Amino acid sequence: YFFHITSLLSLSFNLVVIALEEKIIVSKLGDNATLSCLYRERELPLKDLRVYWQIADDQEVCPVVHALISGQDNESEQCIHFKNRTQLFWDRLENGNFSLLLLNVSQSDERTYKCVVLQTTEYTKVIHQAEVVLSLAASYSQPVLSGPIRNSSSTGEEMTFSCRSDNGYPKPNVYWINKTDNSHLLPSELKITSHTDGTYSVFSTLKVKATSNMQIECSVENKILRENLSANYTQQKQSSGSSPESHKNLEKSGRGAQAAAVVSIVILIGLLVVLTCWLWRRRSSTLVSYTGNE
C-alpha cells in the first residue's frame, strides 16, 4: 500500500497544491498521544475516503502507522511496532477529524508523522495532509543537594557539593548558581546515566572556595516540559557549644544527672518502706486497744 500511496501522491501534486500543516505535540513516556489531523472544508462520506498515517521519512523501511480505506481499518501493511497501538476516533471521522491515538508511547515513537487524506470519487486526489512532530518527555525528580557542615573558621577552604535528580527525559541541563550574586558556576563533574526504561538520572558535583556567607543552588532543567527544579544550600555553622570540649562536658553532666536520679529513686523507695511499716504498726496497735476494751 505504501508504494501505491506514493504514486497517488505524485499524481495528486500535479493536479492540486495542498497546504501542509505542521504541529508539535509533547507527550510523557507511557502516556497516550493524540496526533492531530483535522479537515474542515466539507463533510465527505467515509466510503469515498482513504486516510493514511505514516512516518514522514522516505528512508523508513516500514512507514505505515495506520490506514483507513473506504470506512474500514486496514492492517495488512501496518508496521508491527504499531500493531494494537493505534486508534481513530470513529465518532469524529464524518466531521473531518482524522486524528490518531497512539497508545503507550516510548522513545522509538519520537518521530514526525504524516496524515494524508485522499478522496476517491471521479479520480483519486489528495484533499488534506498534515504533519505532527511527536516529542517525548518525563519530569525529573526533585533535586537532592548535599553539602558539608562548616566551622566558622573554614573560610577559604575548598568545599564539595553534590546534586542528584532521577527518572527524567530527555537529557537535562544542570546549572550551579551562586545565589549571593546569581552568578553561574562551572560544575566539577556531570554524569548522566541512562536506564532500561529510557529515562535518565543526573549527578553533578561542584567544588568552590568557602566564603562567610554561602548560598548555592542546583537547578535541573527539562527544556521540552519547560520545567526547572531546584534545590538550595545555605551555610550551616557549628555553634561554639558544639566543640569537642563541650561534648565532653555534656557527657559528664549527663552521667551526673543519671547518678542523681538513681539516688533519688533509692531514697524515695526507702521512704515508702518506712511509711508502710509505720502505718502497719499503727493499725496493729489500734486493733489491740480495741480488743482490750471489749
Side-chain angles (χ1 to χ4, degrees), residues 21 23 35-41 53 92 95-99 115 117 128-130:
E21 298 179 10
K23 295 183 179 179
L35 310 181
S36 178
C37 182
L38 305 176
Y39 177 70
R40 300 300 192 191
E41 296 297 323
W53 274 98
R92 308 175 192 175
N95 296 324
N97 188 337
F98 305 110
S99 300
C115 167
V117 182
H128 182 70
Q129 61 178 337

Side-chain angles (χ1 to χ4, degrees), residues 24 71 92 104 131 138 140 181 212 214 220 223 245 250:
I24 299 175
R92 308 175 192 175
N104 190 25
E131 283 193 355
Y140 280 86
D181 58 7
S212 59
M214 296 200 70
V220 177
K223 275 194 171 182
E245 188 65 31
L250 286 174

Side-chain angles (χ1 to χ4, degrees), residues 17-284:
V17 176
I18 302 296
L20 179 63
E21 298 179 10
E22 182 175 288
K23 295 183 179 179
I24 299 175
I25 65 169
V26 176
S27 177
K28 291 191 175 183
L29 290 170
D31 284 358
N32 301 333
T34 299
L35 310 181
S36 178
C37 182
L38 305 176
Y39 177 70
R40 300 300 192 191
E41 296 297 323
R42 61 188 184 278
E43 292 187 9
L44 296 170
L46 293 181
K47 65 181 181 62
D48 296 332
L49 294 179
R50 292 187 180 185
V51 180
Y52 296 97
W53 274 98
Q54 59 193 53
I55 297 171
D57 184 354
D58 294 337
Q59 305 301 318
E60 185 66 34
V61 176
C62 183
V64 181
V65 179
H66 196 98
L68 178 75
I69 299 177
S70 300
Q72 298 292 327
D73 284 330
N74 188 310
E75 300 179 356
S76 60
E77 297 295 326
Q78 186 182 36
C79 303
I80 190 171
H81 176 67
F82 296 105
K83 291 286 186 183
N84 302 316
R85 295 183 56 232
T86 58
Q87 297 176 11
L88 293 170
F89 298 91
W90 286 92
D91 57 335
R92 308 175 192 175
L93 289 175
E94 291 186 351
N95 296 324
N97 188 337
F98 305 110
S99 300
L100 184 72
L101 182 65
L102 183 58
L103 307 176
N104 190 25
V105 296
S106 63
Q107 284 88 347
S108 58
D109 297 321
E110 196 169 24
R111 297 171 176 269
T112 299
Y113 297 86
K114 180 180 287 186
C115 167
V116 182
V117 182
L118 302 99
Q119 183 180 7
T120 58
T121 49
E122 299 176 1
Y123 56 89
T124 301
K125 64 177 180 179
V126 175
I127 60 173
H128 182 70
Q129 61 178 337
E131 283 193 355
V132 179
V133 179
L134 177 60
S135 296
L136 301 182
S139 296
Y140 280 86
S141 64
Q142 180 65 33
V144 176
L145 193 157
S146 302
I149 297 177
R150 309 194 302 111
N151 293 317
S152 58
S153 60
S154 60
T155 300
E157 72 176 76
E158 186 178 76
M159 301 179 64
T160 301
F161 297 88
S162 65
C163 180
R164 182 181 183 89
S165 184
D166 299 304
N167 302 323
Y169 184 86
K171 291 182 179 180
N173 293 322
V174 179
Y175 305 102
W176 288 96
I177 303 170
N178 182 352
K179 295 300 290 182
T180 57
D181 58 7
N182 287 324
S183 61
H184 283 248
L185 306 170
L186 293 177
S188 305
E189 177 188 9
L190 179 62
K191 183 179 180 181
I192 298 177
T193 305
S194 61
H195 302 297
T196 55
D197 62 356
T199 60
Y200 296 97
S201 291
V202 60
F203 178 81
S204 180
T205 59
L206 173 72
K207 292 183 179 180
V208 292
K209 296 293 184 181
T211 61
S212 59
N213 180 28
M214 296 200 70
Q215 297 180 41
I216 302 295
E217 178 179 280
C218 170
S219 178
V220 177
E221 179 190 33
N222 187 322
K223 275 194 171 182
I224 292 182
L225 293 179
R226 298 181 181 179
E227 287 182 347
N228 282 280
L229 303 176
S230 60
N232 292 274
Y233 172 89
T234 301
Q235 170 186 313
Q236 301 176 19
K237 295 181 181 179
Q238 291 182 339
S239 63
S240 58
S242 61
S243 63
E245 188 65 31
S246 64
H247 284 305
K248 290 181 181 179
N249 293 334
L250 286 174
E251 290 177 2
K252 290 180 180 179
S253 62
R255 287 195 294 268
Q258 290 178 353
V262 171
V263 171
S264 299
I265 292 172
V266 171
I267 293 174
L268 180 60
I269 292 174
L271 290 174
L272 289 174
V273 171
V274 171
L275 180 61
T276 302
C277 292
W278 180 78
L279 290 173
W280 182 80
R281 292 182 63 182
R282 182 178 179 185
R283 183 173 179 275
S284 298

